[in-house]
Amino acid sequence: MEAAWICGPEFDYGENAVGYYADHRDHVLSARFELASVPAAVELSIAVLGFADVRINGQRLGVELLGAWTNPTKTIYHDVLDVTSLLVGGENRIEVELGNGWYNPSPLTLFGKYNLRQRLVEVGTPAFQAELVADGEQVLATGEDWSCELGNRVFNNIYLGERVDFTLAPEASEARAVPAPAGEPLACPVPPCRRFEAYEPVSATPLGEGTLYDFGIMVTGTVELELAAAAGTTVRVSYAEALDEKGDPCYDTNYAGLVGLRVPTGDIVPGGEGGPSTGLEQDVIVCGEGTSSFTGLFSTHSFRYAYLEGAPAEAVVSFRAHSVHTDLAAAGQMRFDHPFYQQLYDAALLTKLNNVHGLWEDCARERLGYGGDMVALSHSNFMAFNCGDLIVRTLRAFRDDQTAAGGVPETAPYMGIQSNGTGQGEGPILWQLAYPYLAVQAIRYYGLRDEVSVEWPYIKKLIDYLLGWDPEELASHCLGDHGSVQTVGAFGSGTPDKEFVGWCSILWMAQLGAELERLMGDDQGYAEKAAQLKPQIVERFAREDGSFGDGTQTSYAFAGALGLADAKRMADALAARIAEQDGLMLTGIFGTMHAYELLHAHGHDREVEAWLLRRGEPSFSHMLANGSGAIAEEFYTKLSSLNHAMFTSYLQWMYQALGGIAVAADAVAADHVIVDPYFSPQLDGCACAYDGASGRVEVSWRRRADASIALDVRTEGNVRAEISGRVAALPDVTITKNGTQLQ
């Protein structure tokens, strides 16, 4: 029995899809099947264009946002889920409620210009293909014999939320088979999204015509809301990350695509024809008879506060928020005896997980996989979580959207943004760097040599394409060191040392090519190209005082990291500049990533520590003072997301310096780690563990009463822990490795 792709009736939104925002009932497709008894193992294999919520015998599967976002003309992922526990002997029923997801987006113009319905390669009515396999035998498959009903979810959008009308009874419709998408069918490598922490409101405060609920922490997820209100009562729940100075919900930081936000020019970002005036994240519930129970299915929200209007507080029987994210396994663990360090650590983990839903996202108002963020956050992400599967999927996404010339997009999957890119469908060079960069890290951290070998021909095409440009022209296609404190409000033009960073990006691309040609055993001349570029950059940008470009902190970080000058000299100069500038790290996301590693490697951890523990504005302590527990996009946050992982790369330094664990540059599957802790005077000790692809490493240190240090290192599996010479030479440190005292 062949499984067909099926869906409900085709949605008709009219010219330019301006009718998208009106009510259109969703589709619930179902089938019944008999089992003489419950088999030992039953799996559901399902592929979805859009999102799906699956229920078997009335019970949900325990997965959220089922349906991977891909370029469907190239790749179609299916999930395989164990459903044995949901089945019974006798008659069973499976029902699949379809949501729009990324396959049926609104015509909302993100940032006032990017209409996903026009920019994505394929959009349409949500559909799915599924089969149930019991003990290796197919017992059910999708086809036109499935039943179809129109449900009571009359609107759903990934950004704007959902509307449910409980006064509507199910209406019979007809399932229809549709052609299979053109993409290659593959098992989804990424674990599904699930619900995790559940949060009850910590307060409910009357406000205006409604009630303001505070959940006490920044949540990215969905809500369950039970209401006892008269039939026909319309309840609106609007989601906010913060309150304004009056104590009212402030929606500016998570308006979808900034729509409705007044930008510094005074203009209001438009949402496009037929669209809402603001990109407000909101769920709407029309109550039915008795108690109405709403569960958000197809749109996650970023919020600490939820403002409920349309019903009195006493009509709310229960209200609960659920964190939703990809089911990533933890890799690293750290414990501190310093409250703010622990707060920083927890905030990084929370913010990262808040923005992983099948791909690395930036924030709720965009939800896009930017290559630049992937590079800047790579080491902190890989030390915190097992991200090997995410890398595999991301590499495939870049390949799927590679242009004929060889360039790759700014986001994976591509959705239209190409800020200062090298061509149509191509991103700026630092964002294109993600493709080869993640390939190198896939081998270093996870040993995915076979997976990278599949990508290698396409990565070569990218590198050859970019290195074939005149470097002066290519360097101009750069966004620079995005996010620097000193360039607040000057996105895209005011980043530090933009021209120098552009040239460095070309060198970085060549160096990554050289590393990959070594790993792949396939000499392409990239090492020679890198060697030729270095003196060109030095001649063009070196200054008499030993700095480069404009002499910014970014220039020292890049020069030291890419070998344009002596790394220790660059680290010393960078540390001096930080001290001169009131302890501020003025690098953007890429310079910060380089700076953390460079400063630690050359004994300047105190400068990093002073920055991380800094008080006042700008600082992480000021960023976290609102108590929401999440990191913001930037340090001056007037127009920025308050739930954005862009600057959580400090986690990289925490593992490497405070915890003392860094995966060595020559590692394959994290089989070689360097143990090089910084014995911070702010701490009495620290415990750190890392479960890598080759085994587990545990490093702990404590300060004795006489101020000497006891360092303990333990390994399991096939991982080699190398004690750094710097630590081994310290006279007041006692080192024990796997139970044997070394000194």
Side-chain angles (χ1 to χ4, degrees):
M1 179 168 47
E2 192 71 25
W5 280 86
I6 62 173
C7 64
E10 184 175 356
F11 291 122
D12 180 6
Y13 301 129
E15 188 176 357
N16 298 325
V18 296
Y20 182 96
Y21 304 101
D23 286 358
H24 297 275
R25 300 178 68 171
D26 67 349
H27 304 152
V28 182
L29 295 104
S30 63
R32 298 182 185 275
F33 58 98
E34 295 278 343
L35 293 173
S37 60
V38 178
V42 184
E43 291 182 327
L44 171 69
S45 176
I46 183 168
V48 185
L49 295 173
F51 286 149
D53 183 65
V54 182
R55 298 178 286 271
I56 295 179
N57 296 324
Q59 299 182 68
R60 300 185 69 212
L61 295 191
V63 296
E64 310 292 323
L65 306 177
L66 185 60
W69 180 23
T70 66
N71 177 340
T73 68
K74 299 293 182 65
T75 303
I76 296 294
Y77 286 124
H78 64 267
D79 288 281
V80 179
L81 305 166
D82 186 341
V83 298
T84 312
S85 64
L86 303 180
L87 298 170
V88 297
E91 184 179 79
N92 292 265
R93 183 172 188 264
I94 180 172
E95 54 184 338
V96 179
E97 183 172 359
L98 292 172
N100 291 324
W102 292 95
Y103 189 67
N104 192 28
S106 77
L108 192 77
T109 50
L110 304 185
F111 317 116
K113 56 183 177 179
Y114 296 108
N115 180 335
L116 293 182
R117 291 193 74 83
Q118 296 174 356
R119 302 248 173 187
L120 296 181
V121 296
E122 185 176 295
V123 301
T125 302
F128 76 105
Q129 176 195 53
E131 65 173 353
L132 276 172
V133 177
D135 296 338
E137 297 288 333
Q138 187 188 78
V139 297
L140 181 70
T142 45
E144 289 186 305
D145 58 334
W146 279 48
S147 299
C148 180
E149 291 180 341
L150 302 183
N152 58 17
R153 206 167 300 263
V154 297
F155 178 86
N156 68 92
N157 177 259
I158 47 177
Y159 294 109
L160 302 175
E162 306 178 33
R163 292 198 299 270
V164 174
D165 187 344
F166 287 105
T167 67
L168 296 175
E171 181 179 319
S173 186
E174 188 172 330
R176 59 191 181 99
V178 292
E184 180 184 0
L186 294 171
C188 188
V190 180
C193 290
R194 299 190 185 276
R195 288 186 181 185
F196 289 88
E197 292 82 4
Y199 300 100
E200 302 283 347
V202 297
S203 67
T205 306
L207 181 67
E209 298 298 318
T211 305
L212 180 67
Y213 292 86
D214 179 2
F215 287 90
I217 192 170
M218 192 72 75
V219 179
T220 298
T222 58
V223 300
E224 288 182 331
L225 176 58
E226 192 173 358
L227 295 160
T233 301
T234 298
V235 174
R236 290 178 172 81
V237 184
S238 304
Y239 301 93
E241 294 177 342
L243 303 179
D244 64 17
E245 61 277 2
K246 297 178 182 178
D248 295 331
C250 178
Y251 304 111
D252 290 359
T253 66
N254 60 340
Y255 277 148
L258 307 184
V259 171
L261 190 67
R262 187 178 296 277
V263 293
T265 62
D267 297 321
I268 295 177
V269 178
E273 184 182 5
S277 60
T278 69
L280 181 65
E281 295 186 32
Q282 184 181 79
D283 292 325
V284 179
I285 303 102
V286 179
C287 297
E289 295 288 347
T291 300
S292 299
S293 297
F294 168 79
T295 298
L297 297 180
F298 303 127
S299 180
T300 56
H301 301 294
S302 173
F303 63 102
R304 172 177 170 176
Y305 302 95
Y307 183 52
L308 188 148
E309 303 171 272
E314 55 267 26
V316 177
V317 178
S318 65
F319 195 9
R320 176 178 292 183
H322 292 274
S323 172
V324 173
H325 56 76
T326 297
D327 191 5
L328 289 181
Q333 306 93 42
M334 294 190 75
R335 296 191 308 276
F336 301 97
D337 59 10
H338 188 288
F340 188 67
Y341 265 140
Q342 193 65 53
Q343 185 181 4
L344 266 180
Y345 178 78
D346 294 341
L349 296 184
L350 174 73
T351 311
K352 287 175 182 292
L353 288 174
N354 275 349
N355 293 289
V356 182
H357 299 95
L359 65 150
W360 284 295
E361 303 166 345
D362 59 330
C363 62
R365 69 187 186 192
E366 298 179 46
R367 310 183 192 209
L368 305 174
Y370 285 100
D373 298 55
M374 294 176 196
V375 172
L377 298 177
S378 57
H379 298 295
S380 60
N381 285 341
F382 304 157
M383 290 300 295
F385 307 108
N386 184 345
C387 296
D389 295 334
L390 264 174
I391 292 180
V392 171
R393 177 181 169 178
T394 304
L395 293 175
R396 173 91 186 196
F398 278 119
R399 186 216 310 172
D400 281 353
D401 287 319
Q402 187 171 38
T403 66
V408 296
E410 182 170 341
T411 65
Y414 177 58
M415 53 65 64
I417 291 180
Q418 48 198 43
S419 311
N420 202 21
T422 52
Q424 180 63 38
E426 300 172 356
I429 49 179
L430 265 174
W431 275 250
Q432 293 193 57
L433 195 80
Y435 194 19
Y437 187 85
L438 289 179
V440 169
Q441 306 312 323
I443 296 174
R444 177 179 178 182
Y445 280 87
Y446 304 107
L448 299 173
R449 194 184 301 271
D450 289 345
E451 289 80 357
V452 171
S453 68
V454 174
E455 305 297 337
W456 178 227
Y458 305 93
I459 295 174
K460 286 190 292 185
K461 183 178 179 180
L462 167 66
I463 298 174
D464 290 342
Y465 166 60
L466 292 178
L467 296 186
W469 283 59
D470 176 343
E472 185 167 357
E473 170 61 20
L474 181 59
S476 70
H477 291 278
C478 182
L479 289 182
D481 195 13
H482 173 55
S484 168
V485 170
Q486 68 183 142
T487 59
V488 61
F491 170 77
S493 60
T495 57
D497 263 314
K498 189 173 179 182
E499 184 185 5
F500 175 63
V501 170
W503 278 79
C504 285
S505 301
I506 305 170
L507 173 60
W508 199 356
M509 183 74 72
Q511 290 177 340
L512 288 168
E515 179 66 6
L516 282 168
E517 68 184 359
R518 181 188 68 81
L519 291 167
M520 294 291 101
D522 180 19
D523 188 354
Q524 295 291 311
Y526 299 138
E528 291 82 355
K529 183 66 174 178
Q532 294 165 9
L533 274 168
K534 272 189 180 182
Q536 293 181 55
I537 297 173
V538 171
E539 181 179 359
R540 187 181 184 99
F541 293 101
R543 296 165 30 142
E544 289 185 4
D545 64 358
S547 66
F548 287 82
D550 298 330
T552 62
Q553 291 183 21
T554 287
S555 73
Y556 289 114
F558 268 84
L562 299 180
L564 292 169
D566 177 72
K568 185 179 186 307
R569 182 166 63 85
M570 292 296 96
D572 293 346
L574 174 58
R577 289 300 301 273
I578 292 171
E580 292 167 6
Q581 291 164 319
D582 194 29
L584 291 172
M585 283 188 68
L586 301 179
T587 45
I589 58 174
F590 304 102
T592 297
M593 162 199 176
H594 289 318
Y596 285 146
E597 188 147 356
L598 187 69
L599 292 169
H600 174 65
H602 298 283
H604 292 290
D605 290 300
R606 292 201 178 201
E607 284 78 5
V608 177
E609 183 165 68
W611 162 239
L612 295 182
L613 300 183
R614 190 177 194 272
R615 300 292 175 177
E617 190 178 14
S619 68
F620 285 104
S621 66
H622 185 270
M623 188 183 284
L624 290 170
N626 60 23
S628 293
I631 297 298
E633 182 176 7
E634 295 180 337
F635 291 94
Y636 294 102
T637 57
K638 183 174 176 59
L639 300 179
S640 300
S641 165
L642 300 182
N643 187 14
H644 196 304
M646 191 166 81
F647 274 106
T648 59
S649 55
Y650 62 76
L651 207 61
Q652 160 191 348
W653 180 84
M654 284 184 157
Y655 280 108
Q656 188 176 54
L658 299 179
I661 300 176
V663 174
D666 65 353
V668 174
D671 62 352
H672 178 199
V673 302
I674 307 298
V675 177
D676 185 22
Y678 159 58
F679 303 119
S680 165
Q682 301 291 330
L683 302 176
D684 292 326
C686 183
C688 182
Y690 171 65
D691 289 297
S694 292
R696 180 178 175 88
V697 181
E698 296 178 358
V699 174
S700 62
W701 60 268
R702 60 182 176 86
R703 201 180 307 278
R704 300 187 183 100
D706 63 359
S708 66
I709 301 291
L711 172 64
D712 185 65
V713 180
R714 298 181 183 274
T715 61
E716 299 174 8
N718 298 317
V719 58
R720 175 170 63 95
E722 177 187 349
I723 311 295
S724 76
R726 177 170 59 184
V727 171
L730 293 174
D732 57 348
V733 176
T734 301
I735 303 173
T736 303
K737 186 175 181 182
N738 291 331
T740 301
Q741 185 168 317
L742 303 183
Q743 66 179 50

